[in-house]
Every structure is written in structure tokens, then in C-alpha cells.
Amino acid sequence: MPNPPLIVEVTRGSMVESRHRCIAAVAGPDGGIVKSWGDFERPIYGRSAVKPLLALALVETGAADAFGLGDAEIALACASHSGEPRHVDRVRAWLKRIGLSAADLECGPHLPYDEPSMRALLRSGREADAAYNNCSGKHAGFLTTAVHMGEPTKGYIRYEHPVQQRLLGLLEQLTGLDLSLAPRGIDGCGIPTIGIPLGHTAMAMARLADPVELPPARAVAARRVVAAMMAEPHMVGGRGEFASEVMAAAAGKLALKPGAEGVYAAILPGLGLGVCVKAEDGAPRAAQAAVGAVLEELGVFSATERAALADRLRPPVANRAGLEVGRVRPAAEAVL
Amino acid sequence: MPNPPLIVEVTRGSMVESRHRCIAAVAGPDGGIVKSWGDFERPIYGRSAVKPLLALALVETGAADAFGLGDAEIALACASHSGEPRHVDRVRAWLKRIGLSAADLECGPHLPYDEPSMRALLRSGREADAAYNNCSGKHAGFLTTAVHMGEPTKGYIRYEHPVQQRLLGLLEQLTGLDLSLAPRGIDGCGIPTIGIPLGHTAMAMARLADPVELPPARAVAARRVVAAMMAEPHMVGGRGEFASEVMAAAAGKLALKPGAEGVYAAILPGLGLGVCVKAEDGAPRAAQAAVGAVLEELGVFSATERAALADRLRPPVANRAGLEVGRVRPAAEAVL
């Protein structure tokens, strides 16, 4: 019997208005589950939360060094960025460096998540191209690896392409699973997303946190990817974005990454632990509150950091006039 | 013991990725619960789903007739509109007719939900004012009633104001409950929202569907409000909006209204039934699929209508490139 799920409540005035159930697991680098909430053996699509795992290929193939990529580009390879100029301009410059452009990205376009950037784009009369897609850094990384390995760049998002097969192998090694028959879907940006038990996803994150058991080149790549995320938290998300702000407030303690449909992954190098959270209903607000509760439970934050993050960990619900009318919070009894 | 909740699944590729639990009840005009899923005695905030109940005041006070309001304005009083020009222009003309303007609306501004309208607004260099707020028609209705009754217009969103006290009395009569001590919060647009058991909310909708037991003036108002919503489905929401499209496809069979945090209300005049649905986690996609499943269960749609609504009742999940990668659907076993 699994433990009860982690419950997140949304209050409004004197009542709990909505309630979310979250699955969560904390793993050590030996693959052992240290703490759990809900059925952590359930397969989940890690979505963008596994980008730090996928970014290992960019480094361990030698592609990152061949093109002189720094922390900012590696952080972008792990990013779901908000489409600010710092993200979009850096992706364009990176693509130019590998002899390609935004036209080679197969992720499709969307408007920036960052509202000032979205407004500025529309007011300028321009349209978003694929460089604005929150996944454009990950796709630039895929293209960089393909160019470096002499693989075709067209069709790099397809399951059969060498880029995706390399990533599948990476996921298999990090989770210790044969994923050839795993559930499979297509992510928002067109790449395959693989169904992996939540506990095994947490285990893969733990191996990034403490890569001592990984093959040497992979261990070096793991340390570099995690360091890049922690060095450039706002390249991984953007201003005001939950994971970016938590990483910035607790600098050097963790790498944190959301994925669509309520997924979060955390990598804790100091503790050698990995975390994965999935809101059963897919709600980002629930996954944020749940991963925050797990991090608090693990004692990650100092009292000062907790105070600085109070409105991130239990965010206010505001009405259109900006008045606080409720809160999103972990239900205490379910966390303890 | 309540019945099991109504489950809505979100698939991606070969797996269910996310899952929602919904409470639902179908009531007859005598207050009896005909069908139910989950704990329908739980209090919920009806949010914008109860706008058709609140619109009764606009008609039964005589305010609508005094200012010559037609179906379009009464539909807007029930609306969560998407900020298209047809909505915003009509609200402005209406406010002018009562000697007021958008500056008198206390709902706050936000960008139109309708993307072409949002883009056009930003490209024009203008900013949204309160007329663009999805609740601007409801607020115009409140102001119209206040003007007609000789009440102050300032502060009409406050719990103590005669406008809100009149609405509280209306809700008490329609639900048969003393709501003076009910849970209370502030809605997105600033007005009070009252915690009412979901089954009683369904009962109030049933009384709109078959108003034979209501006081005569209220019964006339109920018929007029429901008829206005069915006559002007796109004034109640907008192009592509779930409730508007369902009302348009099954013309004359139902009035349908969403509320924030996963609420839906349906009024079925032909069957004399009222429906209320609440997704426990507040997800609109779950509430849509759940209310669709309840309406199908009640046999509301003809085979032709079901076919026309197939992509509304079980909507595709698309990636950024527009490819269908999954579906939102009721989990069959939970509906039966």
C-alpha cells in the first residue's frame, strides 16, 4: 500500500475551494526511495522536468566544448524559458554558431510566457518564431549534438532519429530500466516523451545530484549541467518563474525544473538526493506547492530562505484588482 | 456514502497522463437529486456559474425593461465573455444608456481571452480597461439595477451594498438555505462568492429550468434569462468557447455556464432539470468533460449533435505544431 498522496489546498476566503493530489518521491543515488507520497511506482511522463537528464548528451558527446558553450547555453538546454530577450537572443546567437537558425528548430512557435516580452513582441508588429518556444534551448542542444556527431539535422525530433535514440539510451542507463516497450507520447515541442515510474525519475535525478556511480564522462557532464543550472537560474526559466526564483534564493543548494502537466524535478547535490513530483491532475500550482513542501521537509532551506520564499511556497491567490483573496498551500496533515 | 466521483482522464500517446475527480449532481425543481457523483453536499463557490441566478435581479426589479435591455444585454449579464468587440462594444453602449461608463465598473481590467482580440488590442497600442473584463456584463447589470433602484453605484461589489444583499436574498430563496453564516470569499472580479452545497446549486438551476414553484415575477425573470442565454450563446462566452459552442449546437435545449475553479452549471428547460459540476482540483478542462458526460448521460444531445460536438466533449490535446497527441475524456467506468 502506498503512502497517502501529498495534498495541496487552494483557499478562498473562509473555505478550501480546490484540492490537488500529488505523488512525490525522494531518492538516493543508490536508487533507494528515502521518502514518498502516493503511488510512486506509477509511470509518468517527465516532460520538460527531465531536460537536465537530456542535456547530458550535449556535454558528454563533446558537442558543448566543440562549440564553446558556456553555463548560459547549457542552462538554456535545460530550460523552459519564458521568452525574454535574454533567452531568445542567446538561442539565436548559439544557432548561428553551429551554422543553423531558428528555421531549423522543429519545436513550433508560441508567444512568450513573460507578459512584458509578449506585449513588446506584439506591439512591434512581429510574430513569434520557434526561437521564442520555451523549449528552443533544448532543441538548440539537440541540433548541436547532431551537427557535432555528423547526423542529419532534419527530423531530429523523431523517435527513430539518432538524437532521440541517444537520449533513450541515456534515460535507460540513468533509470536502470529497459524503456523499449515503455509508454510513449509526443511532447508539446514534438519530441518523444517516455513513461517512466516516478520513483525511477527521482532516482535519475539523484544520480545527477551525486554522480559517483556514473561512468566518468557522464559524471563530469552531470556535475557541469547541475552547476550551469545553479549558476544561471533565470536562463532555466525567467523572471518571477517559480523554479528560477527558488534556485536564485537558495543559490548553490539545488537545481529545480518543472515539466508540463504538473511535474517537478529537483537535484540536491549537497544532500545527494533527487526528487520527483507529479500533480495527478496536471496542475502547475499544485506541483510547485508540493515540491516546495518536499524541499522544506528535507530541510533544504535556511530560515532566511524560507522567509524570502514565503510567497513562493504558499503563493497568494489574487483577484483582478490585485487583492489577495486566498492561498495555495500544502495541507499540513498530508505533509507530516 | 456518496457515489464515486466522475473521473476525467487526459491521455497522451499510449498512457493516461493526468486524471481529475469531479463532483456532479442533477436536481429536479422539487429539490430532489436525480443523479450524483461524489460528495454533492460539499459546499462550493459557484463563481461565474451562478451568474444566471444573479441576473434574475436585473429583470425582476424592472431595471432591464426600464432601460430597454434585450437578449444580448441579458446574455451579457450572465456571461464570462472572451473580450471580442461584440462583447466590449455592447457593454460600453449599455453603460452609456444608464448614464455611466467603464470607469464605473469595479471589476478591474484584464486582456481579452480571445487571442485575435487580444492581439488586435495590443497591436493598436491601447490597454484593456474594465469593459474587457469577462465579467463586465454582470457588473453592468449590477450598476443598472442600482441606478434603477436609486442605490449608490460606488461600492456595489461590497457584501454590505444593497445590490449584493439583494443577490444574497435571491440565492437564499432559490437554494432554500440561510446563507448568512455560509463560507464566503471574494471572486476574481471583486464581488462576494458564497459557499453553497453543490446539490443546492444544482437545485437552484433546476428552478430556473422549471420555474413553476417560483414567485410569479421571479418565474417570468427565470424564463427570460434562460431564453436570452439560449438566443445569444456567443454573448455568454465567445467564439470557440465550450459553453457557447455547446449551446449553439444544441440550440434551445440548454443554457450552460462555466465558473472559475472548475465549476459548470446547466439549465435544461425541456427536462426541468438543473446540473452542477465541480472539478475538485479546479481544472476547466475537467469540468467541461464532466458536464458533457452528465449531459450525454441525461440524453440531452441527438446523435447529430453528439457527432457535431465530438471534439468538444472529448477534446484533442494538441502540441505546439498543432498535432493531436492525446484526448481529454470521461473515464467510462466512472460515468456509468
Side-chain angles (χ1 to χ4, degrees), chain A residues 56-288:
Chain A
L56 295 183
L58 176 63
V59 178
E60 68 183 22
T61 57
D65 281 338
F67 289 100
L69 305 185
D71 282 347
E73 287 82 9
I74 293 173
L76 277 169
C78 301
S80 297
H81 68 70
S82 51
E84 299 165 32
R86 60 177 152 186
H87 304 120
V88 179
D89 295 348
R90 181 76 73 154
V91 167
R92 289 198 203 286
W94 175 4
L95 288 167
K96 195 170 177 187
R97 216 187 295 181
I98 63 169
L100 298 174
S101 76
D104 296 289
L105 298 170
E106 298 181 359
C107 48
H110 64 79
L111 291 174
Y113 297 156
D114 177 60
E115 191 174 316
S117 301
M118 182 272 281
R119 286 170 172 265
L121 179 71
L122 290 180
R123 291 233 153 110
S124 75
R126 287 176 296 130
E127 273 298 331
D129 65 10
Y132 286 90
N133 186 305
N134 74 91
C135 299
S136 66
K138 176 182 68 177
H139 283 249
F142 294 163
L143 284 167
T144 303
T145 309
V147 168
H148 180 68
M149 302 297 284
E151 295 157 0
T153 54
K154 284 235 180 312
Y156 70 90
I157 62 172
R158 292 208 312 271
Y159 183 74
E160 300 76 15
H161 190 281
V163 162
Q164 299 303 328
Q165 286 296 307
R166 185 182 301 115
L167 299 177
L168 188 68
L170 234 167
L171 292 175
E172 289 187 323
Q173 192 266 323
L174 290 166
T175 60
L177 296 172
D178 174 0
L179 298 174
S180 55
L181 297 175
R184 198 203 315 167
I186 297 173
D187 212 325
C189 67
I191 71 161
T193 183
I194 310 295
I196 296 174
L198 182 136
H200 284 77
T201 309
M203 184 204 305
M205 297 301 159
R207 287 179 172 156
L208 258 63
D210 180 357
V212 68
E213 303 283 336
L214 294 183
R218 187 154 292 173
V220 168
R223 289 197 177 91
R224 187 155 161 201
V225 165
V226 174
M229 291 178 74
M230 296 196 299
E232 293 279 3
H234 288 92
M235 290 308 252
V236 180
R239 62 184 152 212
E241 192 270 327
F242 179 82
S244 294
E245 298 303 340
V246 172
M247 283 192 280
K253 288 189 175 176
L254 80 164
L256 185 59
K257 187 67 195 61
E261 291 291 331
V263 182
Y264 257 89
I267 300 159
L268 304 167
L271 300 173
L273 298 174
V275 177
C276 185
V277 168
K278 159 83 181 163
E280 285 192 356
D281 55 65
R285 68 181 180 187
Q288 286 173 13

Side-chain angles (χ1 to χ4, degrees), chain B residues 273-312:
Chain B
L273 298 174
V275 177
C276 184
V277 168
K278 158 83 183 164
E280 284 191 356
D281 55 64
R285 67 181 180 188
Q288 286 172 13
V291 78
V294 172
L295 295 172
E296 286 192 294
E297 176 90 351
L298 294 174
V300 170
F301 305 123
S302 70
T304 314
E305 288 161 359
R306 282 184 70 165
L309 289 170
D311 276 356
R312 302 279 170 192

Side-chain angles (χ1 to χ4, degrees), chain B:
Chain B
M1 275 292 288
N3 294 334
L6 199 159
I7 306 292
V8 172
E9 296 175 340
V10 182
T11 70
R12 180 174 296 263
S14 58
M15 192 173 85
V16 171
E17 183 168 25
S18 298
R19 196 173 271 111
H20 303 271
R21 294 160 191 256
C22 303
I23 313 171
V26 181
D30 62 352
I33 299 296
V34 178
K35 285 177 188 285
S36 71
W37 294 260
D39 178 14
F40 65 84
E41 293 182 355
R42 194 186 126 192
I44 63 154
Y45 291 131
R47 308 291 301 271
S48 289
V50 301
K51 281 175 178 167
L53 306 179
L54 308 184
L56 296 182
L58 176 63
V59 177
E60 69 182 21
T61 56
D65 282 338
F67 290 101
L69 305 185
D71 282 347
E73 287 82 9
I74 294 172
L76 278 169
C78 303
S80 298
H81 67 71
S82 51
E84 300 165 31
R86 59 177 152 184
H87 305 119
V88 179
D89 295 349
R90 181 75 73 153
V91 167
R92 289 199 204 285
W94 174 4
L95 288 167
K96 196 169 175 188
R97 216 188 293 181
I98 62 169
L100 298 175
S101 76
D104 296 290
L105 298 169
E106 298 181 0
C107 48
H110 64 78
L111 291 174
Y113 296 157
D114 178 60
E115 191 174 316
S117 301
M118 182 270 283
R119 286 171 172 266
L121 178 71
L122 290 181
R123 291 233 152 111
S124 75
R126 286 176 297 130
E127 273 299 330
D129 65 10
Y132 286 90
N133 186 304
N134 75 90
C135 299
S136 66
K138 176 182 71 178
H139 283 247
F142 293 163
L143 285 168
T144 303
T145 309
V147 168
H148 180 67
M149 302 297 284
E151 295 158 0
T153 54
K154 285 239 180 310
Y156 69 90
I157 62 173
R158 291 209 313 271
Y159 183 74
E160 300 74 16
H161 189 281
V163 162
Q164 299 303 329
Q165 286 296 308
R166 185 182 300 116
L167 300 176
L168 188 68
L170 234 167
L171 292 175
E172 289 189 321
Q173 192 267 323
L174 290 165
T175 60
L177 296 172
D178 174 0
L179 298 173
S180 55
L181 298 176
R184 198 205 312 170
I186 297 174
D187 211 327
C189 67
I191 71 161
T193 184
I194 310 294
I196 296 175
L198 182 136
H200 284 78
T201 310
M203 182 204 304
M205 297 300 160
R207 287 179 171 156
L208 258 61
D210 181 356
V212 69
E213 303 282 335
L214 294 182
R218 186 155 291 174
V220 168
R223 290 197 177 90
R224 189 158 160 201
V225 165
V226 175
M229 291 177 74
M230 297 196 299
E232 294 280 3
H234 287 91
M235 290 308 253
V236 179
R239 62 184 152 212
E241 192 271 327
F242 179 81
S244 294
E245 299 302 341
V246 172
M247 283 192 280
K253 289 188 175 176
L254 79 163
L256 185 59
K257 188 67 198 53
E261 290 292 330
V263 182
Y264 256 88
I267 300 160
L268 304 167
L271 300 172
L273 298 174
V275 177
C276 184
V277 168
K278 158 83 183 164
E280 284 191 356
D281 55 64
R285 67 181 180 188
Q288 286 172 13
V291 78
V294 172
L295 295 172
E296 286 192 294
E297 176 90 351
L298 294 174
V300 170
F301 305 123
S302 70
T304 314
E305 288 161 359
R306 282 184 70 165
L309 289 170
D311 276 356
R312 302 279 170 192
L313 299 173
R314 285 162 185 76
V317 175
N319 72 1
R320 299 292 185 184
L323 183 72
E324 178 180 329
V325 295
R327 284 265 166 181
V328 182
R329 66 183 189 202
E333 64 279 18
V335 179
L336 301 175

